[in-house]
Amino acid sequence: MTMTTPLTWVGLDRRAHRNEVGAITALLLAATEEERLALAEDVEAGIKKADRDGWWRGDTSPTPGHALAVIGCMPTAAKAAALLLRGNMRNWSAVTPRLFLEIAQARELPWLGELGQRLAARTPVRERWNNDWPFAVRLMHAGGAEPPVTEGVTRAWVEGLLRPAQQGTPVPPLSIRMRDDPFLPVLLPAVFAFDGLGADLLSDSWQESGPQFPPVVAHLVAEGTLERKTVLDLTVDRLVRGDKPHCLRPFTLLHEALAPGIDEMSSHALDYARLLAEAPGAVAAVAQKVLRAVDDAGRLELDTLLDTSAATLVRTEKTLVKAQITWLEKVSRREPGRAAEVLETVAVAFGHPALDVQDRALTVIGKRIGDLDPAVVARLADAAVALSGDLPARAAALFGTVVEEGPAEIPELPPPAPPAAMPAPIATPAELAEEVAALVHEPAAIRWERVLAGLVTLNTTAGPAALATALQPVLDRYPGDFEENTWNRSKPLLHLGVAIRSAIGTDKPGGLWLWLVTSLRTAWQDGRRGGVDSAIVPTPDGVLALRVAETVTQLTSTMVPLLMATPTHVTGSLDAAVLLDRLRRAESEGWQPWPVDFEQALLRLPRVTDPVVAAGAATLTSPAGRQFAAWLADGGLPDPVSTRFQQEPARRGYTWYSPVGRRVVAALTPARGGGLRLERQLLTIAPGPHPEEFPSAFHDAGDVLAMVLPHHREVTAAWALPELAAMTDQEQREGAAVLPLLAECSGPVGPALAYAVAYALTARYQESRIAAVDAFLTLAAGPPPARAAGPARAAEAALPGGAAPFAGAVGAAVADLGADATLKLSRLVPALAEAYRAGAAVAVWEVLATALPAMLASPQRGLPDLLELASQVAGAVHARVEIPGLAEVASRPGSSRLVKEAKRLQTVLTP
């Protein structure tokens, strides 16, 4: 007599963990449907009770065998899907589909297709598990169900078509795979519906080369498998709705493969007109080609052409715009009765940023000027005010007007707004706790200042008990930041944790506390920070860590009610009158400021002091008060000597990245001996002979760095310069955020800041160049800083009223770095053009006038574009100056663009 093994959860679970899937299948097949359904609750409870995160450890989590128990016992697709989609069942699809289907067929499940649909509906858009979608497909095929149309399903379907799993047999071509796929009618339209999916279509099967989707779909259309009108409508609609250019490329290729006829193109004329005006360049070029064919066939409304041309003529793609002008010229001859309208549309190109486009438009209009009514000519003359470079004079001769120029028309930037005041002080322990928690996620300098000030003040006013109630939960929530580990010994957040625990009485003097105290003593007594025995880094941002370390040692012993160095403005600047009030309070209450905090306060004072404040300081009697008065009387911190320093490439063997060429940085030397204890390290930089590879000291601390010396931005720029240079010569992404902050600070502009701006204007990433332009505009609009020694200022005398001195220094840096193509003109020209359009024409011209002689002597790729920009800017500022080397280039024979643009600039500069 054969004994049958009873069907129990314990037995199934034991066999599942031993991966005995065959035995589990046999048990489920041998049981009756009543026995299977009776076990459903035990299976559900067992899977739900299992460790949710244990699947990746391979311990007690559900295994593929448990998925067989689910399909063998659950009464509905909903319950089965709910269990299979649990987080601890992520490996359910590792089970052999044959066993899964064998059990389902034995049970004669009517909901197998529904289960496949439910599983497919949860297919993620990204990071799909390898076998989940194919498994769901098998279930839907077996149950005769259609897939849900979601983005995840559509992407998974496309991936399966383009990169099919190889099962040891030859894979049919994509055309056959698509034709035979039962999901094609349902999912193909969805391919056109989801943004970004076009990027997936550029991925091909390993057996095929080149984008296969466009020609295959066109082939299926040609053979009648797919309806032509539907596919063409979907394609045009996808292009009209727009997407990133690379995501639209397969649909552009599909459009070309479909090769629509004149009737089809005419029916979508308005769609193509919208594409010509708004779509990415490659798509707009296709639309332009189609519309010209429709126009040649006499089936394009002229009003449609004129409306879309007005938007097209100001696009940045010069080839596209020039082709549009040529097309409009042809139409003006074909439609003489409406030539005036057409040519007034061409005049829209007068506002194009490229001079050769403006030139083309003016030339086309000039050919027909004799056929136009005086009123039309007058309107064209009005439009010509947008022309720049040498073109206003040509337009004046053409339209019979007068070119007006004078200093009053030079564009000027509005003066910058004063730096914003610091936010209100932290008032309660609860608010302090919120800011400390926020500091973990965003360690901004402004937040640091508020937290330090709040901790010191509330320790006196609220007391340790209230601080403990509010702050201890924050320390417990972020142990990786506030407790010591291998990576954070020099981090200010760790020091803050020690300070907080000292204040609330939970940290006893010991290892880390003693280390911070020792580091502080060394820094204060010897003026030395950094090294293996110090918790404080030697760079300026280390002053923050030094102040936090001082808080650790002083908070519970001196009980001062406020910090001296808390700035009054977000730049880090501290009003001298406010510091005077703080010192008066200290004298009246009988306490002394903390030493490091007080030195930081002095370093944050403005360069110019109100005489009333200086007189008040002279009445102070405490040691700190007398030091404050002497500091003001001596004029504060003297500017160090900032010197250009060129680093040469290091000789090295093979490296996976390109070695750095020469890099220009800055050396700093203090202007005096003695001074503050913080002073020597802050004002001393001795660069090494070779560039540092991928410097990153200030990527995440640019604002902290800037707030240490807010009125000596040249010093801060010198520290940050290696990282700013690496944005160009090593194409690093981070670092530029400090530049707008430095521009809002004050102090002379020397070689460090000049080279910093020059490097950032040609950085690899657009966000870095945007930050550089913002800084450039602030520097151009601000009050003239102290004049820095350095390169000659080639154009200042030629400009009415002079120009900001920083621009000449930036121009000299550009000339230096452009001599060996360290700077790419293809990045510099758009950045300077943006600054020019924003109103900094005078400063941009000085950069160009200073840089051009060296650029002309050693031409680099992109020089014609730089000359074109120079013509525009010189015309705007009415410059009349000789550029060395320009006449020689302009007199060369030939009609190259370099010679043409040199002649144009020479014409603009010639009275």
Side-chain angles (χ1 to χ4, degrees), residues 223-593:
E223 70 178 19
T225 301
L226 298 174
E227 184 183 8
R228 180 179 179 85
K229 183 179 185 306
T230 299
V231 174
L232 181 60
D233 289 349
L234 287 170
T235 302
V236 174
D237 181 65
R238 172 70 270 178
L239 296 175
V240 168
R241 284 187 292 112
D243 207 339
K244 295 179 180 178
H246 74 282
C247 295
L248 293 177
R249 174 169 167 72
F251 302 107
T252 305
L253 294 175
L254 175 57
H255 183 277
E256 293 178 357
L258 290 172
I262 194 65
D263 289 337
E264 294 170 318
M265 293 188 292
S266 299
S267 66
H268 287 285
L270 293 179
D271 292 325
Y272 291 119
R274 180 177 172 184
L275 291 175
L276 177 55
E278 302 173 2
V283 179
V286 172
Q288 188 180 59
K289 179 180 177 181
V290 168
L291 286 174
R292 290 202 67 168
V294 175
D295 184 47
D296 290 342
R299 300 175 66 172
L300 181 65
E301 295 288 339
L302 181 56
D303 289 337
T304 300
L305 173 60
L306 296 181
D307 288 343
T308 193
S309 293
T312 303
L313 292 174
V314 293
R315 292 184 61 121
T316 58
E317 301 91 346
K318 294 197 295 185
T319 301
L320 191 75
V321 175
K322 288 179 181 179
Q324 195 72 14
I325 293 174
T326 301
W327 180 8
L328 289 172
E329 180 182 18
K330 177 182 176 181
V331 172
S332 72
R333 298 184 183 280
R334 188 187 69 204
E335 303 280 351
R338 300 188 68 179
E341 295 177 68
V342 176
L343 293 177
E344 287 190 70
T345 301
V346 171
V348 172
F350 289 171
H352 195 276
L355 285 180
D356 52 349
V357 171
Q358 296 180 19
D359 193 337
R360 176 73 64 87
L362 186 61
T363 301
V364 167
I365 291 173
K367 294 177 181 179
R368 303 294 304 279
I369 194 71
D371 302 331
L372 302 177
D373 292 336
V376 175
V377 174
R379 289 196 296 271
L380 292 173
D382 291 340
V385 298
L387 295 169
S388 54
D390 63 329
L391 299 177
R394 282 182 49 195
L398 180 65
F399 300 127
T401 56
V402 177
V403 178
E404 297 182 1
E405 60 179 64
E409 294 186 3
I410 295 178
E412 294 182 359
L413 288 169
M422 282 285 290
I426 293 174
T428 65
E431 184 184 358
L432 177 61
E434 292 179 1
E435 286 297 287
V436 171
L439 201 59
V440 174
H441 302 285
E442 186 183 357
I446 295 173
R447 180 168 287 127
W448 265 112
E449 294 296 336
R450 297 186 72 232
V451 165
L452 286 180
L455 178 61
V456 171
T457 299
L458 291 173
N459 183 59
T460 303
T461 58
L467 289 179
T469 300
L471 295 177
Q472 188 61 53
V474 180
L475 300 182
D476 295 340
R477 192 187 316 160
Y478 302 105
D481 295 287
F482 294 115
E483 295 180 8
E484 185 179 5
N485 57 54
T486 306
W487 310 104
N488 70 348
R489 295 201 78 196
S490 64
K491 300 296 184 183
L493 273 176
L494 174 64
H495 307 168
L496 179 62
V498 179
I500 292 174
R501 288 191 292 270
S502 297
I504 65 180
T506 61
D507 201 5
K508 299 179 181 179
L512 182 57
W513 186 91
L514 183 60
W515 187 47
L516 288 177
V517 172
T518 303
S519 299
L520 176 64
R521 183 183 302 116
T522 300
W524 187 246
Q525 294 178 351
D526 303 339
R528 178 174 61 83
R529 293 174 280 121
V532 295
D533 60 339
S534 177
I536 317 297
V537 297
T539 50
D541 58 316
V543 174
L544 171 62
L546 190 66
R547 293 174 61 208
V548 180
E550 183 178 58
T551 306
V552 171
T553 63
Q554 299 277 6
L555 193 60
T556 57
S557 58
T558 59
M559 295 293 287
V560 302
L562 60 87
L563 292 178
M564 293 288 163
T566 303
T568 52
H569 296 85
V570 295
T571 59
S573 181
L574 171 60
D575 284 347
V578 173
L579 182 55
L580 175 61
D581 290 341
R582 292 173 182 172
L583 288 169
R584 283 173 171 167
R585 176 180 174 182
E587 287 193 3
S588 66
E589 295 177 358
W591 52 272
Q592 278 291 310

Side-chain angles (χ1 to χ4, degrees), residues 516-845:
L516 288 177
V517 172
T518 303
S519 299
L520 176 64
R521 183 183 302 116
T522 300
W524 187 246
Q525 294 178 351
D526 303 339
R528 178 174 61 83
R529 293 174 280 121
V532 295
D533 60 339
S534 177
I536 317 297
V537 297
T539 50
D541 58 316
V543 174
L544 171 62
L546 190 66
R547 293 174 61 208
V548 180
E550 183 178 58
T551 306
V552 171
T553 63
Q554 299 277 6
L555 193 60
T556 57
S557 58
T558 59
M559 295 293 287
V560 302
L562 60 87
L563 292 178
M564 293 288 163
T566 303
T568 52
H569 296 85
V570 295
T571 59
S573 181
L574 171 60
D575 284 347
V578 173
L579 182 55
L580 175 61
D581 290 341
R582 292 173 182 172
L583 288 169
R584 283 173 171 167
R585 176 180 174 182
E587 287 193 3
S588 66
E589 295 177 358
W591 52 272
Q592 278 291 310
W594 296 345
V596 177
D597 174 55
F598 183 57
E599 285 205 354
Q600 173 66 99
L602 294 179
L603 293 173
R604 285 177 166 168
L605 293 175
R607 304 171 76 88
V608 179
T609 304
D610 186 338
V612 175
V613 175
T619 66
L620 299 174
T621 59
S622 66
R626 292 195 299 271
Q627 186 179 5
F628 172 54
W631 181 269
L632 296 182
D634 293 341
L637 179 68
D639 291 310
V641 178
S642 180
T643 310
R644 175 189 180 278
F645 186 92
Q646 182 164 304
Q647 297 174 314
E648 300 296 338
R651 293 184 178 181
R652 59 182 68 235
Y654 173 79
T655 178
W656 60 271
Y657 55 83
S658 299
V660 184
R662 73 175 181 108
R663 177 183 289 167
V664 178
V665 293
L668 288 182
T669 306
R672 68 181 180 186
L676 302 179
R677 287 177 172 85
L678 295 179
E679 193 171 317
R680 180 156 295 278
Q681 277 195 322
L682 289 175
L683 305 185
T684 302
I685 298 179
H690 308 301
E692 179 185 355
E693 304 284 357
F694 301 106
S696 59
F698 307 115
H699 278 182
D700 301 321
D703 56 344
V704 174
L705 176 69
M707 290 184 79
V708 176
L709 291 165
H711 301 289
H712 292 79
R713 56 188 173 194
E714 174 70 9
V715 175
T716 308
W719 285 100
L721 184 51
E723 290 179 49
L724 296 169
M727 294 189 308
T728 290
D729 61 32
Q730 289 197 291
E731 300 194 339
Q732 287 195 160
R733 187 155 208 153
E734 304 294 334
V738 72
L739 266 180
L741 301 177
L742 295 185
E744 293 179 355
C745 293
S746 67
V749 174
L753 188 53
Y755 275 90
V757 173
Y759 272 119
L761 285 171
T762 58
R764 165 65 175 82
Y765 293 97
Q766 184 178 10
E767 60 265 30
S768 301
R769 299 195 296 274
I770 291 174
V773 171
D774 288 344
F776 188 94
L777 293 173
T778 302
L779 289 167
R787 192 177 297 262
R793 301 165 45 74
E796 183 176 357
L799 297 176
F806 88 94
V810 173
V814 167
D816 176 22
L817 298 173
D820 58 357
T822 297
L823 304 186
K824 292 180 172 60
L825 295 184
S826 61
R827 300 173 185 170
L828 175 67
V829 172
L832 289 179
E834 184 64 27
Y836 160 61
R837 288 191 291 270
V842 172
V844 171
W845 170 247

Side-chain angles (χ1 to χ4, degrees), residues 841-865:
V842 172
V844 171
W845 170 247
E846 186 169 4
V847 171
L848 293 169
T850 306
L852 276 174
M855 296 290 188
L856 291 166
S858 300
Q860 303 291 341
R861 182 178 181 182
L863 181 55
D865 294 325

